[in-house]
Amino acid sequence: MTACIVGWAHTPFGKLDTETVESLIVRVTDEALEHAGIGPEDVDEVVLGHFNGGFSPQEFTASLVFQASDRFRFKPATRVENACATGSAAVHQAIKTIEAKRARTVLVVGVEQMTTTPGPEIGNILLKASYLPEDGDTKGGFAGVFGKIAGLYFQRYGDQSDALAMIAAKNHRNGVDNPYAQMRKDLGFEFCRTESDKNPFVAGPLKRTDCSLVSDGAAALVIADTETALRMKRAVAFRATAHAQDFLPMSKRDIVRFEGCAEAWRRALDQAGIQLSDLSFVETHDCFTIAELIEYEAMGLTPPGQGAIAVKEGWTQRDGKLPVNPSGGLKAKGHPIGATGVSMHVLSAMQLCEEAGGIQVRNPKLGGIFNMGGAAVANYVSVLERIK
């Protein structure tokens, strides 16, 4: 336990017309420092997670954090990117800096503004997170990539439409009680299961309710070394962190296995000295419902091909044996690319401090986080534990 979360901030996710990338960054920077009870002068380094890829004309963004206060001037600041796992890449980089004893306190900010970009352009930008020589002409953009994965999974293990609809309904029901969520509406199983004008097929067997939302938003964390954290108001320790990067081309992998995800979970659980059953909840990367289904298997909750059991038996409900996405996940909360991984850590820290309000799980001790970039290419797992 070399690093701890000692403060955080989180904007609502959604279509935030009155915000800019800069204003979102400044907002969460100010709020996270206030929550931690420190000032800019107490921060040794800044890490910004911002995917961009064309969403924002301002490509060079690390120093936008300094717009919050002149007292940040001359501190090290770096922007990182690793597709949809950009936020967790920023978190893990902060931890490495602390482990190397190059900093005692690091500010991590994740941000994205997507909704100001025209729809077709959004699809083209997101498709850049795939291997373009193979997938660049995929109909439906990144949804088409995961529609292909869903189709292959169905071919191998049978039609899983019921399970996907159950995952969507679960996450939308959870999102109702999350004040940061973009869609706070309980859609119900029947709506998610049934094709309709409001829920058409988007790609392969995936309907609109199987796909995460286009979102604006930001989140921030103040991370400190353990000695410093124990002198502060709260300390949520990183019991383990793991990052497993896989091949970019899907043709080089068994794409329905998410082997990089499985490897990251194996490393993190081993490092933490625990089993999956020791976790109180998991926030996992449900960019599409098929992803959450396969992640059940990759994390070891069920054997391969049997992920549907976890949702059909109620294991992953908020009151189940392993609540998955009590926040509503990307499905209901929204998915502003660079902010997502930071958001997952914020909401998990809130759970462990029992400050999660309506989405609170019972008596949490350990929280697991899985954030994914591309189609199981960048795989990050964190295990969190409150120590103060």
Side-chain angles (χ1 to χ4, degrees):
M1 294 184 189
T2 55
C4 301
I5 295 168
V6 296
W8 58 75
H10 199 301
T11 70
F13 285 177
K15 185 173 174 57
L16 307 180
D17 293 327
T18 62
E19 300 278 8
T20 64
V21 168
E22 181 177 327
S23 71
L24 288 166
I25 289 171
V26 169
R27 179 175 169 183
V28 293
T29 294
D30 287 339
E31 291 176 3
L33 294 181
E34 182 180 359
H35 190 245
I38 64 172
E41 63 278 2
D42 300 309
V43 173
D44 299 313
E45 188 161 335
V46 173
V47 187
L48 175 70
H50 183 207
F51 172 70
N52 200 4
F55 287 125
S56 168
Q58 179 67 61
E59 188 67 41
F60 182 34
T61 49
S63 285
L64 288 181
V65 177
F66 293 9
Q67 297 297 89
S69 173
D70 291 352
R71 288 175 288 167
F72 279 115
R73 193 180 186 195
F74 301 136
K75 293 182 183 292
T78 309
R79 172 190 159 203
V80 301
E81 179 276 320
N82 212 354
C84 299
T86 288
S88 287
V91 171
H92 285 216
Q93 179 162 316
I95 293 166
K96 288 176 182 176
T97 302
I98 290 169
E99 286 176 339
K101 301 189 184 300
R102 297 297 299 269
R104 296 183 72 89
T105 304
V106 181
L107 172 67
V108 177
V109 179
V111 68
E112 210 72 59
Q113 185 169 48
M114 303 170 69
T115 68
T116 54
T117 302
E121 252 185 87
I122 293 172
N124 291 335
I125 290 170
L126 294 178
L127 195 57
K128 294 176 185 177
S130 65
Y131 184 56
L132 293 179
E134 288 181 2
D135 304 315
D137 296 325
T138 301
K139 188 178 178 182
F142 212 60
V145 172
F146 273 85
K148 193 184 305 181
I149 294 169
L152 292 168
Y153 188 98
F154 283 24
Q155 286 177 28
R156 187 176 301 183
Y157 298 119
D159 190 319
Q160 305 294 322
S161 298
D162 284 352
L164 298 190
M166 287 178 181
I167 289 169
K170 166 183 71 72
N171 291 347
H172 278 294
R173 186 165 55 252
N174 288 346
V176 170
D177 297 316
N178 183 352
Y180 303 121
Q182 181 169 353
M183 185 179 289
R184 301 181 65 184
K185 186 175 182 181
D186 185 354
L187 297 179
F189 170 76
E190 289 301 328
F191 180 83
C192 295
R193 179 64 179 87
T194 308
E195 180 191 9
S196 65
D197 290 342
K198 292 185 176 180
N199 191 29
F201 282 100
V202 173
L206 301 180
K207 295 185 285 295
R208 183 175 291 162
T209 50
D210 293 305
C211 307
S212 58
L213 303 160
V214 173
S215 316
D216 308 328
L221 293 164
V222 178
I223 301 176
D225 65 70
T226 303
E227 182 183 350
T228 301
L230 290 173
R231 296 197 298 266
M232 302 179 78
K233 290 183 286 186
R234 66 188 65 78
V236 177
F238 286 85
R239 178 88 171 252
T241 56
H243 171 203
Q245 197 86 359
D246 208 342
F247 297 120
L248 188 56
M250 292 195 295
S251 61
K252 296 189 71 171
R253 302 177 275 142
D254 182 353
I255 194 56
V256 303
R257 293 293 295 272
F258 283 17
E259 293 158 295
C261 172
E263 179 62 25
W265 271 110
R266 276 194 295 271
R267 292 179 189 175
L269 293 173
D270 183 60
Q271 185 186 133
I274 61 171
Q275 298 180 328
L276 188 72
S277 57
D278 293 317
L279 295 177
S280 306
F281 65 90
V282 167
E283 285 289 336
T284 201
H285 194 98
D286 60 322
C287 50
F288 300 91
T289 52
I290 186 64
E292 180 167 328
L293 183 70
I294 297 173
E295 286 157 20
Y296 293 161
E297 301 165 14
M299 73 174 75
L301 187 57
T302 75
Q306 297 180 35
I309 294 171
V311 68
K312 290 181 178 180
E313 295 291 326
W315 299 354
T316 56
Q317 298 286 350
R318 197 187 303 166
D319 59 355
K321 70 178 187 179
L322 182 61
V324 175
N325 287 332
S327 69
L330 286 56
K331 181 80 267 298
K333 184 182 63 177
H335 184 23
I337 308 297
T340 289
V342 182
S343 165
M344 292 170 131
H345 286 81
V346 169
L347 289 161
S348 296
M350 290 173 68
Q351 287 283 2
L352 292 165
C353 291
E354 300 197 63
E355 297 176 22
I359 62 172
Q360 185 66 54
V361 300
R362 290 193 307 265
N363 193 31
K365 303 298 182 187
L366 292 167
I369 298 162
F370 173 68
N371 185 201
M372 175 173 76
V377 177
N379 302 277
Y380 291 82
V381 172
S382 300
V383 177
L384 301 182
E385 177 181 22
R386 183 183 183 184
I387 60 173
K388 182 180 179 181

